[in-house]
């Protein structure tokens, strides 16, 4: 009977609200109704079952039938706040159905997000508190889908905000179910394709919500490889504008670096470089010309980030490492001349390092020579790409570095590769380097490399040291000439002193 | 007075970051001067060094992207004249006699060089020669043995410098202490 009295009072209040419509009285009535609900919740006689069968349906009926948006919104929120979570868990279906039935202009998104948040917290604190038959995620996922379908005027960013709440629920309460996370991403992508979404503008509401949605799994897993396992992540990323894509890509790379996540298989390298392709190469679809407005400092930072990330593309297993480097190169050559000096360079160094490691296995691996040769082929091709892109100082140094590696590892046919590399270096020196300061630096490097290298037979060495001496004597400034020739003399230790002397005299 | 001697970092060309344990040790505000042997190779790393101390001296390595760093530098700290050079220009690389030539040329008490990625600290003909190695343990074909990340911290007091060598070996930071006294000039 107590309850009945409350029903009646509520009913009257519901009606009088509509009739009154004066602000102050509305406020007072609002508080009164709220208080009634609180009293209702405090009644001892209400347990889960009575709530489920009697109380809630009654309240919900009142709410829906009064058709007043403000009242509906307030009352729905009241219900969530006032009654315990255990009750809500039992009555989700009914409650969410009512959400679907309220007026179109009620901000249902906030109500649902509020409810999801509460229940997620509850579930985290006490996972056993959720009844067996309540599949939290499924219920919310299905019901919100229904609600979204029913409300054709719901703005896109609200839909995405709901998805954000769902993905949080999935990650907090069901951390092992990555398929839940993917379902949310899939749903969002479907919504976008269903409404033929226009390209998103950076900084729009929808874009902000979408970025939030994409960042949550990255932060939650702290393992970029798990993101690669969500098939709909990249589909969703494709809906973003170029700036957003770059933002998320950088976010992913930074996350990998912060967590030292190694990308240790060919497939994963392929996946991740596809995912972050907005940083790997120019985006042909970019009609807005974001490239034109790109800040050069930002570009540098982007490429340095990418280059640092390349250090994570590695495997302990040497053969696997070689495959990974090849896959990475496939992607990075698409970057064009602006990027390759940043991206191909670490690949070359990684390859050199790999050769050294192979050399260390010479006792156990009889194919190590051939593997080193393949690596030097790889390096030769890669450095060639750099020199064709009008770079000269960098490829020269990379070639010289290769000579040292060949010298140290002493694999079969190393001398051939080393001689080829040093010839390439000489060519670059003669044809591309014209500044006199740069010339002195370059010839010094060439000579110091020849000095250090132990892989050249007498014939080759003779040719090289002659070339060095000639180059030294041709330097533009006399002081440079004498410096260079003095250095060159180091190369003549093994030969007869007269030869060296004659060369020096000729300068 | 604390002087950090560091170099051959090679980020991002050969490695992605400084060892975390080193970063924890290198705290801003404790070091007065930084002497860097070069091969950072980018402005990012240079800016990082600037956050540790305002007085940063750097010389050009063969892979640095900033072409305006000098090839040689002489810095006076306390009673010591300190020479700084990357070392790829000093041929043969790592050779004591060649380094000694440069030391005489620059007329310095302490000669710092890098390039070999191998830590060195020794006295030769009354002068002190040091090489901080590579701060990241970056790959180099010049050191065939395992390269450990390392850097040096010099504590300069009057005519004595105590050099602390920090090396990361098997993920543990190991510290060694080496003392050098400036020889009293013959009267």
């Amino acid at each position: 009977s107590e309850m009945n009295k409350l029903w009646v009072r509520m009913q009257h209040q519901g009606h009088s609200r509509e009739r009154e419509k004066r602000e102050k009285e509305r406020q007072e009535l609002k508080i009164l109704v709220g208080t009634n609900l609180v009293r209702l919740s405090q009644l001892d006689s209400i347990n889960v079952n009575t709530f489920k069968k009697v109380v809630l349906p009654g309240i919900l009926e009142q709410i829906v039938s009064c058709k007043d948006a403000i009242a509906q919104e307030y009352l729905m929120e009241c219900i969530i706040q006032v009654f315990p979570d255990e009750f809500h868990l039992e009555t989700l279906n009914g409650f969410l159905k009512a959400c679907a039935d309220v007026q179109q202009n009620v901000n249902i998104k906030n109500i649902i997000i509020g409810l999801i948040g509460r229940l997620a917290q509850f579930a985290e604190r006490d996972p056993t508190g959720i009844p067996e038959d309540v599949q939290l995620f499924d219920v919310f996922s299905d019901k919100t889908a229904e609600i979204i379908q029913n409300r054709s005027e719901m703005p896109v960013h609200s839909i995405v905000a709901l998805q954000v709440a769902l993905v949080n629920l999935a990650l907090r309460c069901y951390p092992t179910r990555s398929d839940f996370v993917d379902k949310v991403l899939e749903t969002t992508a479907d919504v976008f394709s269903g409404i033929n979404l226009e390209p998103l503008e950076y900084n729009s509401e929808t874009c902000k919500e979408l970025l939030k949605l994409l960042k949550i799994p990255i932060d939650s897993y702290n393992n970029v490889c798990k993101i690669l396992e969500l098939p709909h992540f990249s589909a969703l990323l494709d809906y973003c504008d170029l700036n957003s894509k770059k933002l998320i890509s950088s976010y992913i790379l930074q996350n990998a670096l912060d967590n030292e996540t190694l990308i240790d298989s060919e497939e994963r390298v392929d996946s991740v470089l596809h995912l972050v392709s907005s940083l790997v190469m120019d985006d042909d679809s970019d009609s807005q010309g974001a490239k034109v407005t790109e800040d050069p400092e930002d570009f540098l930072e982007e490429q340095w980030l990418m280059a640092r990330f390349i250090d994570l593309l590695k495997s302990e297993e040497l053969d696997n490492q070689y495959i990974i480097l090849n896959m990475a190169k496939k992607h990075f050559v698409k970057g064009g001349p602006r990027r390759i000096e940043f991206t191909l360079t670490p690949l070359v160094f990684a390859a050199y390092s790999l050769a050294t490691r192979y050399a260390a296995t010479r006792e156990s691996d009889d194919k190590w020579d051939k593997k080193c040769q393949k690596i030097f082929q790889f390096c030769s091709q890669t450095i060639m790409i750099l020199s064709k892109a009008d770079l000269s100082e960098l490829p020269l140094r990379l070639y010289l570095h290769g000579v040292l590696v060949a010298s140290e590892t002493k694999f079969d046919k190393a001398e051939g590769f080393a001689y080829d590399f040093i010839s390439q270096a000489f060519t670059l020196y003669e044809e591309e380097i014209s500044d006199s300061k740069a010339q002195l630096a370059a010839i010094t490097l060439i000579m110091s490399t020849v000095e250090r290298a132990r892989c050249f037979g007498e014939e080759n060495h003779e040719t090289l040291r002659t070339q060095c001496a000639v180059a030294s004597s041709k330097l533009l400034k006399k002081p440079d000439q004498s410096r260079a020739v003095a250095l060159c003399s180091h190369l003549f230790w093994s030969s007869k002193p007269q030869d060296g002397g004659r060369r020096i005299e000729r300068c | 007075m604390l002087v950090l001697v560091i170099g051959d970092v090679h980020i991002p060309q050969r490695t992605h970051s400084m060892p975390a344990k080193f970063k924890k040790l290198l705290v801003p505000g404790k070091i007065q001067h930084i002497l860097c042997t070069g091969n950072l190779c980018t402005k990012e790393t240079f800016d990082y060094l600037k956050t540790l101390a305002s007085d940063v001296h750097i010389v050009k390595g063969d892979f640095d992207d900033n072409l305006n760093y000098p090839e040689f530098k002489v810095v006076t700290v306390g009673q010591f004249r300190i020479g700084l050079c990357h070392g790829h220009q000093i041929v043969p690389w790592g050779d004591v006699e060649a380094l000694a030539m440069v030391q005489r040329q620059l007329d310095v008490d302490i000669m710092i060089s890098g390039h070999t990625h191998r830590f060195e600290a020794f006295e030769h003909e009354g002068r002190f020669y040091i090489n901080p190695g590579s701060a990241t343990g970056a790959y180099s074909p010049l050191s065939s043995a395992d390269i450990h990340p390392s850097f040096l911290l010099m504590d300069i007091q009057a005519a004595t410098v105590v050099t602390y060598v920090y090396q990361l070996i098997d993920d543990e930071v190991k510290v060694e202490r080496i003392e050098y006294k400036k020889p009293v000039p013959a009267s």
Side-chain angles (χ1 to χ4, degrees):
Chain A
S1 63
E2 191 64 47
M3 282 192 280
N4 282 332
K5 281 190 204 147
L6 284 162
W7 284 146
V8 173
R9 212 188 302 180
M10 279 269 295
Q11 195 163 352
H12 283 290
Q13 258 129 22
H15 287 210
S16 60
R17 263 197 181 217
E18 281 160 6
R19 271 184 243 132
E20 291 304 317
K21 291 200 167 99
R22 263 177 281 161
E23 251 341 286
K24 185 160 171 281
E25 283 192 27
R26 267 188 161 234
Q27 273 295 97
E28 284 171 10
L29 280 166
K30 185 172 166 179
I31 296 170
L32 199 54
V33 172
T35 321
N36 279 334
L37 279 173
V38 174
R39 294 259 173 73
L40 203 56
S41 74
Q42 287 165 344
L43 286 177
D44 283 335
S45 55
I46 296 194
N47 60 19
V48 169
N49 282 320
T50 41
F51 182 77
K52 193 169 169 174
K53 296 204 169 64
V54 180
V55 176
L56 189 65
I59 303 178
L60 288 176
E61 202 203 310
Q62 285 299 311
I63 295 178
V64 172
S65 61
C66 84
K67 295 195 192 306
D68 177 318
I70 298 179
Q72 286 176 337
E73 200 170 316
Y74 174 69
L75 289 170
M76 297 296 267
E77 286 190 11
C78 268
I79 296 177
I80 300 177
Q81 307 272 4
V82 147
F83 292 102
D85 295 328
E86 290 88 347
F87 284 18
H88 293 307
L89 284 167
E90 291 285 340
T91 54
L92 274 180
N93 278 310
F95 186 86
L96 290 172
K97 173 142 195 337
C99 285
D101 293 338
V102 295
Q103 299 294 99
Q104 286 282 334
N105 52 346
V106 170
N107 192 341
I108 205 71
K109 151 193 122 185
N110 285 342
I111 295 171
I112 298 183
I113 291 178
L115 184 57
I116 293 180
R118 264 182 84 104
L119 293 178
Q121 263 188 315
F122 176 79
E124 263 186 313
R125 273 196 321 260
D126 177 19
T128 55
I130 305 182
E132 279 296 308
D133 56 346
V134 175
Q135 290 300 334
L136 253 186
F137 179 79
D138 291 320
V139 170
F140 272 112
S141 177
D142 294 337
K143 289 294 176 212
T144 43
E146 269 179 42
I147 291 171
I148 292 170
Q149 269 208 315
N150 284 341
R151 301 168 87 82
S152 53
E153 280 168 32
M154 192 183 234
V156 182
H157 64 83
S158 295
I159 301 180
V160 185
L162 278 169
Q163 304 303 322
V164 170
L166 280 173
V167 93
N168 269 321
L169 177 67
L171 285 166
R172 286 165 81 178
C173 305
Y174 303 96
T176 54
R177 298 291 300 266
S178 62
D179 57 321
F180 280 169
V181 176
D182 195 55
K183 178 121 202 320
V184 175
L185 298 175
E186 185 183 359
T187 316
T188 319
D190 286 343
V191 164
F192 283 175
S193 76
I195 61 174
N196 272 328
L197 189 69
E198 294 278 298
L200 286 175
E201 249 182 64
Y202 193 59
N203 269 334
S204 66
E205 275 301 312
T206 314
C207 188
K208 286 193 196 152
E209 289 294 333
L210 185 56
L211 288 178
K212 235 199 273 182
L213 181 61
L214 291 170
K215 282 187 186 176
I216 292 173
I218 301 175
D219 287 327
S220 176
Y221 287 135
N222 271 331
N223 180 346
V224 164
C225 294
K226 293 200 91 170
I227 302 291
L228 298 175
E229 292 166 18
L230 299 173
H232 290 92
F233 192 93
S234 60
L236 206 49
L237 189 59
D238 278 336
Y239 279 103
C240 294
D241 65 296
L242 184 60
N243 279 326
S244 301
K245 279 191 203 168
K246 284 188 178 182
L247 203 129
I248 294 290
S249 298
S250 301
Y251 203 74
I252 291 174
L253 296 183
Q254 190 63 54
N255 186 289
L257 285 165
D258 290 338
N259 290 290
E260 307 256 336
T261 314
L262 294 182
I263 318 286
D264 58 0
S265 80
E266 187 186 10
E267 296 77 29
R268 285 193 175 152
V269 170
D270 194 28
S271 289
V272 77
L273 291 177
H274 262 124
L275 193 58
V276 300
S277 61
S278 57
L279 296 177
V280 173
M281 54 184 143
D282 290 333
D283 190 337
D284 292 323
S285 68
D286 173 37
S287 53
Q288 280 305 303
K291 196 168 69 177
V292 175
T293 54
E294 184 185 73
D295 181 47
E297 271 203 36
D298 285 346
F299 177 74
L300 272 181
E301 279 179 22
E302 229 176 65
Q303 292 307 307
W304 287 334
L305 182 64
M306 179 61 80
R308 284 166 58 214
F309 178 70
I310 292 175
D311 194 35
L312 294 177
L313 306 176
K314 64 176 161 211
S315 161
E316 284 299 310
E317 224 257 334
L318 301 184
D319 290 339
N320 201 12
Q321 172 73 350
Y322 179 68
I323 296 175
I324 287 176
L325 289 177
N326 268 302
M327 174 53 81
K329 179 180 164 198
K330 250 206 309 201
H331 280 267
F332 288 118
V333 291
K334 299 188 209 155
R338 322 190 279 153
R339 293 188 176 82
I340 51 176
E341 71 174 280
F342 300 102
T343 51
L344 294 185
T345 311
L347 288 181
V348 173
F349 280 119
Y352 283 148
S353 166
L354 184 59
T356 313
R357 281 186 285 160
Y358 268 127
T361 67
R362 68 186 75 210
E363 308 293 321
S364 48
D365 183 354
D366 58 351
K367 296 212 186 71
W368 78 277
D369 289 280
K370 295 226 163 51
K371 292 179 183 177
C372 283
Q373 288 164 9
K374 274 177 88 174
I375 290 180
F376 269 77
Q377 294 276 32
F378 173 85
C379 293
S380 174
Q381 288 161 359
T382 313
I383 304 175
M384 183 64 74
I385 298 176
L386 288 169
S387 59
K388 289 220 169 91
D390 280 342
L391 295 163
S392 51
E393 303 267 5
L394 180 62
L396 181 136
R397 283 158 177 75
L398 291 175
Y399 277 128
L400 292 179
H401 212 90
V403 172
L404 294 172
V405 178
S407 166
E408 289 296 315
T409 51
K410 302 187 182 37
F411 57 93
D412 185 36
K413 301 200 186 111
E415 185 178 355
F417 279 102
Y419 192 77
D420 177 49
F421 275 28
I422 220 163
S423 311
Q424 297 282 2
F426 259 113
T427 312
L428 282 168
Y429 167 75
E430 280 154 15
E431 293 176 10
E432 303 294 331
I433 299 179
S434 47
D435 170 66
S436 63
K437 204 167 126 186
Q439 276 189 334
L440 177 62
I443 196 65
T444 310
L445 272 175
I446 294 179
M447 290 197 289
S448 47
T449 308
V450 174
E451 196 280 333
R452 181 61 173 234
R454 298 281 176 268
C455 54
F456 295 117
E458 180 55 33
E459 209 185 294
N460 278 334
H461 197 264
E462 159 110 48
T463 319
L464 288 175
R465 60 184 184 241
T466 313
Q467 250 185 307
C468 288
V470 170
S472 307
S473 61
K474 285 203 189 136
L475 286 172
L476 219 45
K477 304 181 185 159
K478 276 265 183 274
D480 289 347
Q481 277 179 20
S482 34
R483 249 185 231 123
V485 171
L487 269 177
C488 196
S489 64
H490 286 288
L491 302 178
F492 285 84
W493 276 119
S494 59
S495 73
K496 299 174 217 137
Q498 297 109 296
D499 281 3
R502 239 180 297 149
R503 294 267 177 244
I504 292 168
E505 275 166 30
R506 280 198 204 134
C507 293
Chain B
M1 231 171 331
L2 281 181
V3 180
L4 174 66
V5 183
I6 193 169
D8 286 311
V9 182
H10 289 286
I11 294 173
Q13 289 182 347
R14 298 187 207 182
T15 185
H16 66 276
S17 66
M18 294 260 277
K21 293 200 169 166
F22 277 3
K23 276 175 125 163
K24 272 206 202 120
L25 292 171
L26 295 172
V27 177
K30 299 237 174 95
I31 300 165
Q32 281 77 49
H33 310 278
I34 297 184
L35 301 176
C36 178
T37 53
N39 270 353
L40 288 182
C41 312
T42 63
K43 186 169 173 292
E44 264 186 347
T45 310
F46 183 71
D47 288 341
Y48 165 70
L49 289 179
K50 288 225 83 160
T51 68
L52 299 177
S54 52
D55 190 36
V56 179
H57 300 273
I58 183 169
V59 284
K60 185 140 92 79
D62 52 341
F63 280 100
D64 276 308
D65 66 351
N66 185 330
L67 301 175
N68 294 323
Y69 297 147
E71 302 269 337
F72 298 91
K73 211 163 193 199
V74 177
V75 178
T76 307
V77 180
Q79 291 187 25
F80 290 92
R81 273 177 65 87
I82 308 175
L84 186 59
C85 170
H86 177 249
H88 67 273
Q89 318 92 320
I90 302 176
V91 183
W93 294 328
D95 180 76
V96 155
E97 294 298 335
L99 285 169
M101 273 208 310
V102 178
Q103 174 270 315
R104 286 192 289 275
Q105 209 178 341
L106 300 176
D107 188 26
V108 292
D109 306 303
I110 303 176
M111 183 68 215
I112 305 178
S113 62
H115 188 53
T116 61
H117 292 209
R118 173 174 278 125
F119 148 68
E120 305 274 0
F122 58 87
E123 276 190 49
H124 176 74
E125 291 173 355
R127 312 289 175 157
F128 196 38
Y129 292 80
I130 52 178
N131 182 335
S134 160
T136 53
Y139 164 72
S140 165
L142 300 180
S143 288
S144 44
D146 278 329
I147 303 176
H148 302 295
S150 61
F151 66 87
L152 306 175
L153 210 53
M154 296 198 296
D155 187 0
I156 300 186
Q157 306 286 351
T160 311
V161 53
V162 178
T163 306
Y164 295 95
V165 184
Y166 291 80
Q167 288 181 296
L168 191 67
I169 302 176
D170 293 329
D171 209 36
E172 287 288 318
V173 178
K174 301 219 157 67
V175 189
E176 269 176 57
R177 187 182 182 282
I178 301 162
E179 213 176 276
Y180 169 69
K181 280 197 174 58
K182 187 168 160 158
V184 177
S187 49

